[in-house]
Amino acid sequence: NYGIRSSEGGSGPWTVYYLGNVLYNCKNFDGNNSWGNYDGIGIYLMRGASRNASTARRYIAFNTIYGCRDGIVLVQDHTPAFVRSNLISNVGDGSSPLETPVGRHLAAGSNSWATTVTDHNFFDAADAFNVLWRGPSYSSLSALQAASGQEANGTVGAPNFVNPTLDPMTRDFDLGSGS
């Protein structure tokens, strides 16, 4: 259901790093989404260590997320998070990694820590831009930037993967020329 799912609690403090992962085709093993609203997510973080938010941090960086219903989701997150330099592509409802995209690139609930920062992320232009940031949804990078101050250096473009195929023997998420 998830590429990475983390739910911390207790008294911490914890600093956690989610770095350099390639997350692909996140969905149920049986091929369908039967577990409700929280399946098919590339990186899903919830319930940070609220009692030590002054020292705990989460760093989410340099990840490639492809073919998941949603890219990165932060829910009930009371730990400051730094979401930076991720490539999020081909988001959709999770039933097929090559379907018409309808999911969210990034979602941070209204209860996410106010100091959470997202910047320098790359959003695939082939997807309908969809970011939920602390309440409102944004359908363009410029609207997100203007309203929230987030993603000042974000980019929307074509990643031009060398070979984003279903076949694990030939799959290649390196960036091709013109990326």
Side-chain angles (χ1 to χ4, degrees), residues 120-141:
H120 292 277
N121 292 296
F122 185 96
F123 306 97
D124 191 340
D127 300 342
F129 188 88
N130 187 353
V131 171
L132 173 77
W133 190 258
R134 304 207 61 210
S137 288
Y138 299 96
S139 59
S140 73
L141 179 59

Side-chain angles (χ1 to χ4, degrees), residues 73-152:
V73 176
L74 308 171
V75 177
Q76 299 173 351
D77 192 17
H78 305 291
T79 303
F82 300 90
V83 182
R84 188 176 177 98
S85 301
N86 298 286
L87 192 157
I88 305 167
S89 178
N90 197 30
V91 292
D93 77 4
S95 61
S96 169
L98 303 175
E99 70 193 2
T100 303
V102 296
R104 288 195 174 106
H105 291 96
L106 175 64
S110 59
N111 56 355
S112 292
W113 194 261
T115 58
T116 292
V117 174
T118 179
D119 200 8
H120 292 277
N121 292 296
F122 185 96
F123 306 97
D124 191 340
D127 300 342
F129 188 88
N130 187 353
V131 171
L132 173 77
W133 190 258
R134 304 207 61 210
S137 288
Y138 299 96
S139 59
S140 73
L141 179 59
S142 60
L144 173 67
Q145 291 167 329
S148 70
Q150 300 293 329
E151 287 299 339

Side-chain angles (χ1 to χ4, degrees), residues 164-175:
T165 179
L166 292 172
D167 183 353
M169 300 305 291
T170 60
R171 181 173 39 232
D172 186 350
F173 286 107
D174 287 331
L175 299 178

